[in-house]
Amino acid sequence: MASARLGRSIKRAPLGFGTKVSLVFFLGLAFVVTWWTFSSPSASAVSSQRNSFDDIEALPATPAPRKEKEHSRKKAHQKKPPDSLPKNENLKSAAVGSKNDKKEKEKKGGGGEIEQVAAAKNETSKPEEEESEEKVDVEGLEEVTDSETATDEDMEEGVDVNAEDDAGEDNLKNRSKKKKKLGPLFDPKARYTWKLCSGKTGHNYIPCVDLEGGHRHHERSCPRTPITCLVSLPKDYKPPEAWPERESKIWFKNLAHPKLSEAVKTQSWLNLSGDYLFIPSEESEFKGGAQHYVSSIEEMVPDIEWGKNIRVVLDIGCTGAGFGAVLLKKDVITLSLGLMSDQTDMAQLALERGIPAVVGNLRSRRLPFPSSVFDAIHCGECGISWHSNGGRLLLEINRVLRPGGYFITSSKHGDIDAEEGMTALMSSVCWNILAHKADEVSETNIRIYQRPTSNDVYEIRATKEPPFCRENENQDAAWYTPVKACLHKVAAAIEQRGTDWPEEWPKRLETFSEWLADSEDKLTKDHEHWKAIIDKSYLAGLGINWSNIRNVMDMKAMYGGFAAALASQKVWVMNVVPVHAPNTLPIIFERGLLGIYHDWCEPFSTYPRSYDLLHADHLFSRLKNRCKQPIVIVVEMDRILRPGGWVIIRDKLEILNPLETILRSLHWDIRMTYGKDKEGLLCAQKTTWRP
């Protein structure tokens, strides 16, 4: 009891003033130490990163005092790689190699490796004599910056063209939220080393077409493991001749392989002399020459009017591109569709000649084009049985052919059963046969059909087979979309695409149809915008010899403004509309230009070294939310660009800086970089280096 009373008396004893002050002091000190230990490092790291990033982006062109300040800031933050700093000057410099530190490695499919170490510093210098070029590029970049906001807004609202049903607003909002949480597209600290791709396909490797052992897929099928290896070069590779010499004179070693060598021995229009392959303009795969063949078609149907009424043509089953080569001289741009079953790779020959071509197939999936866009479609001895399998393949041609457009077929040997089946099929889809001729010179049977321009003709069909497609079906869905056994009707309302024929070329390039009335101002501004960029910057300010440029690709085309601005040059442009972007490809075709759908997370359907110049306007910043390994886009650019070819990339500086490091690791020559605020431009040239 005594002890209990003593304890209670001790607890009730009041504390002195000094004791209370000491207790509060120690508790406060303990709280400060705890908060500093757990919170301060991460907070300070974020704060320093933001401050340095904002300060760097706010730099004017070249003030010396701020450069010293930035130098001291880099010293204070050694973890920030020097290559991630924006370049705010015009630079022309050679690639500088760097040694790789032995750090943790992450192997990628196909042979490439990525090392997670700090990037080595790239030394660059600015020659004094380039002040005039700086002014040109500043003007061009300012114009792009002014218009980028509108473009980005359009991109945010885009839907996939390969989606069967439109995404709801909630899904779009969720996707938008996910985008903001992702980090940088390329890790600034990553280091890249490269290996050559293995396999028998060697320097002609097409990842989504070729199989091991020299075989090919029946339809596009990409490897499960992303391709990060580099395709080898042919022995003694040489750049193509300048246009138009390259059309008829080819360095044979650039594309020589056994199947093509056999074709050279049997085809009279392919003449091998020494190391060069010559293709005389008066000869072609058509007996009597392609010129006679094309003229015969126009004589059969005078309304065709090559180069005026007919501008955009699809040639199925590229057999040498003689058809397209002749039409080029008539201001007709023909896309040759090289079939996967073609082991002689005539589409590669066409591309080497500077004639548009792409690899694909016409089987169970739709072609990667919108509906109602081609003025004419040609199939010369392509060996396709149009009447088989319920006529599905012809129904796909009906989808992509413009109402009132022409379907031209030719064959050497008449098959009575095939002709009867074709006649019944054409009757069921109400196509009108305009002309039929057995040409004695070319020894071919030529037939010309026309797609209806009105739905009234369908009312007199004897049967309802094939049935009409659903009214709400997306006719432009064309990425891994199955071909359907149904017939698409013709657009009826004047505001719908396909109700009227475009203006004659070249008026159609800048004259817009009724269905584009609401977008006319936007399209006009886009055209003026790119014309100014190309005239002020691209043609004169980047150091590109345009006489050596023929095959061009716009990797993220919007309205075709880039291609339209190059219409006066001796080039052709493949306008690629990514499948995740707004569906603007019909506008590009309406203007008389070529284009195709593609997903840049996968390899493109073409041969290595197909293009002389690649243009990418904010492509990488738009793919941040789509590709699991964005490095595959750079690898694909290296595959489809020929040695000596150029890339022009416009994007955000936070993407261009690590991208420059990647291109240097590929030993590309960085010809120019420019930065203003958060936007920049990078111009580089591929070399012959291989690992």
Side-chain angles (χ1 to χ4, degrees), residues 83-104:
D83 278 321
S84 65
L85 296 177
K87 309 310 189 267
N88 288 292
E89 302 174 345
N90 286 337
L91 300 174
K92 278 191 178 181
S93 61
V96 180
S98 59
K99 293 182 180 180
N100 299 328
D101 297 335
K102 291 183 179 179
K103 295 286 183 178
E104 178 184 350

Side-chain angles (χ1 to χ4, degrees), residues 309-414:
N309 190 36
I310 301 299
R311 163 64 182 173
V312 185
V313 176
L314 178 66
D315 185 16
I316 298 177
C318 177
T319 55
F323 179 73
V326 170
L327 288 179
L328 275 176
K329 296 177 176 62
K330 297 178 176 290
D331 277 341
V332 177
I333 186 164
T334 303
L335 179 62
S336 296
L337 180 66
L339 302 179
M340 294 181 182
S341 57
D342 176 21
Q343 296 293 324
T344 57
D345 294 326
M346 287 298 179
Q348 186 181 25
L349 176 63
L351 288 163
E352 193 72 12
R353 295 176 65 186
I355 300 172
V358 70
V359 180
N361 222 343
L362 189 59
R363 293 175 67 92
S364 64
R365 294 177 186 155
R366 287 179 174 178
L367 297 172
F369 308 111
S371 61
S372 304
V373 291
F374 288 102
D375 303 336
I377 297 177
H378 173 255
C379 175
E381 303 177 36
C382 56
I384 295 177
S385 300
W386 298 106
H387 63 284
S388 62
N389 197 19
R392 283 177 179 251
L393 301 185
L394 187 68
L395 292 173
E396 174 60 5
I397 298 301
N398 182 81
R399 183 185 72 87
V400 299
L401 183 64
R402 184 184 297 278
Y406 303 94
F407 180 52
I408 306 164
T409 66
S410 64
S411 59
K412 279 191 175 181
H413 305 289

Side-chain angles (χ1 to χ4, degrees), residues 365-547:
R365 294 177 186 155
R366 287 179 174 178
L367 297 172
F369 308 111
S371 61
S372 304
V373 291
F374 288 102
D375 303 336
I377 297 177
H378 173 255
C379 175
E381 303 177 36
C382 56
I384 295 177
S385 300
W386 298 106
H387 63 284
S388 62
N389 197 19
R392 283 177 179 251
L393 301 185
L394 187 68
L395 292 173
E396 174 60 5
I397 298 301
N398 182 81
R399 183 185 72 87
V400 299
L401 183 64
R402 184 184 297 278
Y406 303 94
F407 180 52
I408 306 164
T409 66
S410 64
S411 59
K412 279 191 175 181
H413 305 289
D415 185 340
I416 297 178
D417 293 335
E419 290 182 5
E420 291 179 353
M422 195 70 169
T423 301
L425 180 60
M426 290 300 181
S427 176
S428 67
V429 296
C430 299
W431 280 21
N432 183 27
I433 181 166
L434 300 179
H436 176 203
K437 175 183 178 181
D439 186 66
E440 295 180 358
V441 176
S442 61
E443 298 181 355
T444 57
N445 295 316
I446 305 174
R447 288 179 173 82
I448 303 177
Y449 303 90
Q450 187 175 33
R451 185 187 174 190
T453 57
S454 170
N455 293 317
D456 296 339
V457 69
Y458 296 129
E459 301 297 329
I460 61 175
R461 288 199 302 170
T463 63
K464 299 300 181 182
E465 293 294 331
F468 290 120
C469 300
R470 292 179 301 158
E471 293 289 339
N472 61 346
E473 181 186 342
N474 183 4
Q475 295 188 35
D476 293 340
W479 190 246
Y480 291 107
T481 304
V483 173
K484 297 183 179 179
C486 62
L487 181 65
H488 289 100
K489 287 186 177 181
V490 177
I494 193 171
E495 67 273 7
Q496 290 181 296
R497 173 163 52 91
T499 54
D500 56 350
W501 197 271
E503 293 284 340
E504 289 186 353
W505 179 263
K507 290 182 180 179
R508 68 188 285 181
L509 190 64
E510 300 181 38
T511 306
F512 307 109
S513 303
E514 288 290 335
W515 67 276
L516 290 172
D518 295 339
S519 304
E520 187 169 351
D521 290 341
K522 184 185 294 185
L523 296 176
T524 301
K525 290 179 181 178
D526 179 76
H527 179 76
E528 294 173 351
H529 158 69
W530 281 111
K531 191 177 188 310
I533 294 296
I534 288 174
D535 291 345
K536 295 179 182 179
S537 177
Y538 287 7
L539 293 181
L542 299 182
I544 299 174
N545 183 1
W546 285 88
S547 64

Side-chain angles (χ1 to χ4, degrees), residues 183-210:
L185 187 68
F186 299 111
D187 184 0
K189 297 181 179 180
R191 285 294 301 165
Y192 301 88
T193 58
W194 308 100
K195 293 181 180 179
L196 290 179
C197 299
S198 59
K200 294 184 178 180
T201 51
H203 52 261
N204 290 324
Y205 180 45
I206 309 177
C208 298
V209 174
D210 292 321

